[in-house]
Amino acid sequence: MIYSDLTNWERERHTFPAPVRRAIERLMETDLDALPAGRHSFGEPGMYLLINEPVTSDWQDVKPETHKLHTDIQLLLSGRERMRVAKASEEQIITDDRYETQDIAFYDNVRNEQTIDMVPGDFVVLFPTDIHRPNCSVEEDMPIRKAVVKVHGDLFATGPQNE
């Protein structure tokens, strides 16, 4: 997992994997406020953008999830969000496996979760080994708007395009 914000992006960008850099560069070049909620193409095969407008809720009402094929880059655009994260391991038991049809699996109980309170401009990069519980309320339920870039694992393969 990577946690950062757009203010520090220029200073930290060289430390990020190439597909993450490309995705964040596109986010910064895109008028995200003009895009409606939903799925949008995002400049290269294996990468797409979701604009989500959920209402946060108590963390206990949100199922933890992982993805097998995609890395998520979640950028908060408005509101406040608590993101809970933990590392996937054999101790963490999947209770609803939808990897084959939807590239998502859910957990009932997750150990050693950490919390990150996000404000607009904050982003997290969630790799397939990161269990995450998004859209949790910080203090009270509220509507939020976020950009989620889905980056297929094939884009992380070594090669000249990833240098």
Side-chain angles (χ1 to χ4, degrees):
M1 185 198 82
I2 299 170
Y3 167 67
S4 189
D5 60 60
L6 296 178
T7 304
N8 290 303
W9 163 244
E10 286 299 325
R11 186 176 68 231
E12 297 175 348
R13 69 185 299 148
H14 70 281
T15 65
F16 292 18
V20 173
R21 285 195 311 266
R22 292 194 307 270
I24 294 172
E25 287 166 358
R26 284 191 187 102
L27 283 170
M28 295 186 69
E29 295 167 354
T30 302
D31 183 1
L32 298 170
D33 292 333
L35 293 176
R39 182 175 171 155
H40 306 273
S41 63
F42 206 55
E44 71 180 272
M47 195 180 291
Y48 63 92
L49 171 66
L50 299 171
I51 297 294
N52 294 338
E53 295 179 338
V55 174
T56 62
S57 57
D58 185 89
W59 71 272
Q60 294 172 327
D61 295 331
V62 179
K63 289 277 192 189
E65 64 186 61
T66 53
H67 310 287
K68 195 175 198 177
L69 299 177
H70 291 91
T71 291
D72 279 5
I73 303 168
Q74 298 196 17
L75 169 65
L76 188 63
L77 301 173
S78 67
R80 293 180 62 204
E81 174 186 17
R82 178 164 287 157
M83 178 77 64
R84 294 177 61 102
V85 294
K87 294 310 287 182
S89 71
E90 291 181 12
E91 295 176 355
Q92 311 280 27
I93 307 298
I94 293 173
T95 56
D96 185 2
D97 184 341
R98 300 182 197 176
Y99 283 142
E100 294 302 317
T101 58
Q102 299 172 310
D103 189 35
I104 195 167
F106 296 98
Y107 302 73
D108 283 336
N109 299 307
V110 174
R111 291 185 237 198
N112 299 320
E113 278 185 286
Q114 305 299 312
T115 61
I116 300 169
D117 289 348
M118 298 175 60
V119 297
D122 288 351
F123 65 88
V124 291
V125 180
L126 301 157
F127 298 100
T129 56
D130 297 319
I131 299 171
H132 52 287
R133 194 184 303 242
N135 309 327
C136 298
S137 299
V138 175
E139 293 168 354
E140 61 186 1
D141 298 352
M142 70 171 52
I144 62 172
R145 182 173 164 92
K146 64 197 292 186
V148 179
V149 180
K150 304 291 261 181
V151 182
H152 195 280
D154 289 349
L155 295 179
F156 288 90
T158 56
Q161 76 277 9
N162 291 314
E163 294 175 359

